[in-house]
Amino acid sequence: MATYYAIPCPDGLRENFAKLVHNFEQGVTEPQNQLLIAVANDYTDKVIEVMILGNSELLDQTSIAAKVLNNVASVIKATAHTLIKQVLHKMKNQEMAPLAAQIRARKLILADQEYISFPVPSDLAQRYRHSFIAIRQGDISARPQLMEAMLEFSTLANHYFYVESIRPLKLGLITRKIADLGGVTINKASQAAIKKLIPSLNIEELQGFVDYLEPFFVDAT
């Protein structure tokens, strides 16, 4: 039994990605840049929507915590979209195929539902669930444990959603440096937001976070 962080995949993204994979498998000669850019952007936006903006919606939008989350979402989206366009717009189909393969590797299907997912190490999943139980019971002393789990999880998500996607692409020296810097920027923004956000939440807000977060952790054989 393995634990996954699993985001339900929207129909439009699922259909466009299926089309993209079909085109690559059939060896179409028509450039697939625009379709892959659209898929990569939609993929990124869905991850940001669930992992960051979904948490923001639980908070008073005038609060500092909500502003922190909205700001980090803007930074990550702008950074990712710029890099996606810069890296992919001139690539040939065969050069882009590894990115399509990486996006496909993040697909999980359970009971006919398709998810964007990545595996969560068992010790991290266990620490998350222990903090979820404690917070649901009103134990605010579990807040540091939740924050440490979220910091580790943030680095893991950056690895699966960003680093692994960029790594197999054949990039020039300058483009590679830009891409690597983008990954560092995204990770730093995420870590800073978590460190500022979680200590500011009261027990009721933490319980709202738990109710939102927990369903995304699923077990599968």
Side-chain angles (χ1 to χ4, degrees):
M1 184 75 71
T3 300
Y4 293 85
Y5 181 82
I7 300 170
C9 187
D11 289 342
L13 176 57
R14 178 179 52 77
E15 291 165 4
N16 278 340
F17 184 64
K19 179 181 178 182
L20 183 71
V21 170
H22 173 78
N23 289 346
F24 277 130
E25 289 177 345
Q26 295 302 311
V28 298
T29 57
E30 180 182 352
Q32 297 298 300
N33 306 71
Q34 293 307 310
L35 179 57
L36 182 54
I37 287 171
V39 166
N41 282 338
D42 288 348
Y43 178 89
T44 299
D45 290 351
K46 186 61 182 178
V47 171
I48 292 171
E49 174 192 326
V50 170
M51 295 186 68
I52 303 174
L53 295 177
N55 291 313
S56 172
E57 290 172 1
L58 301 173
L59 304 169
D60 178 351
Q61 291 303 295
T62 63
S63 68
I64 292 176
K67 290 176 181 177
V68 167
L69 287 176
N70 290 328
N71 286 341
V72 77
S74 296
V75 168
I76 292 174
K77 182 179 287 191
T79 301
H81 281 211
T82 299
L83 285 167
I84 287 166
K85 184 176 181 180
Q86 287 181 339
V87 169
L88 299 179
H89 79 288
K90 289 185 178 181
M91 280 191 169
K92 297 178 181 178
N93 288 354
Q94 61 267 30
E95 294 174 316
M96 294 185 291
L99 177 55
Q102 284 299 324
I103 295 175
R104 179 163 48 186
R106 302 277 60 81
K107 181 169 71 172
L108 175 70
I109 299 177
L110 294 173
D112 297 325
Q113 170 67 57
E114 187 169 315
Y115 297 88
I116 301 167
S117 73
F118 62 85
V120 179
S122 59
D123 66 315
L124 177 57
Q126 186 176 37
R127 282 186 279 124
Y128 252 124
R129 285 168 171 155
H130 283 168
S131 66
F132 289 166
I133 291 170
I135 288 168
R136 278 219 173 90
Q137 293 173 345
D139 182 3
I140 201 166
S141 69
R143 184 167 54 187
Q145 180 185 3
L146 176 64
M147 186 176 76
E148 289 304 315
M150 290 182 71
L151 288 169
E152 186 175 334
F153 176 83
S154 174
T155 299
L156 192 68
N158 186 64
H159 171 78
Y160 279 112
F161 286 143
Y162 186 88
V163 175
E164 276 205 346
S165 296
I166 295 296
R167 181 180 293 162
L169 297 177
K170 294 182 179 179
L171 305 177
L173 180 61
I174 294 176
T175 307
R176 175 65 65 183
K177 286 184 177 180
I178 292 172
D180 289 345
L181 179 60
V184 171
T185 299
I186 290 170
N187 196 47
K188 282 185 175 180
S190 300
Q191 298 268 314
I194 291 167
K195 289 176 182 178
K196 190 169 185 177
L197 172 68
I198 299 303
S200 72
L201 300 180
N202 60 38
I203 190 61
E204 289 80 14
E205 290 169 328
L206 287 168
Q207 288 168 340
F209 267 57
V210 169
D211 289 340
Y212 177 77
L213 290 172
E214 191 170 33
F216 294 107
F217 290 84
V218 300
D219 293 323
T221 54

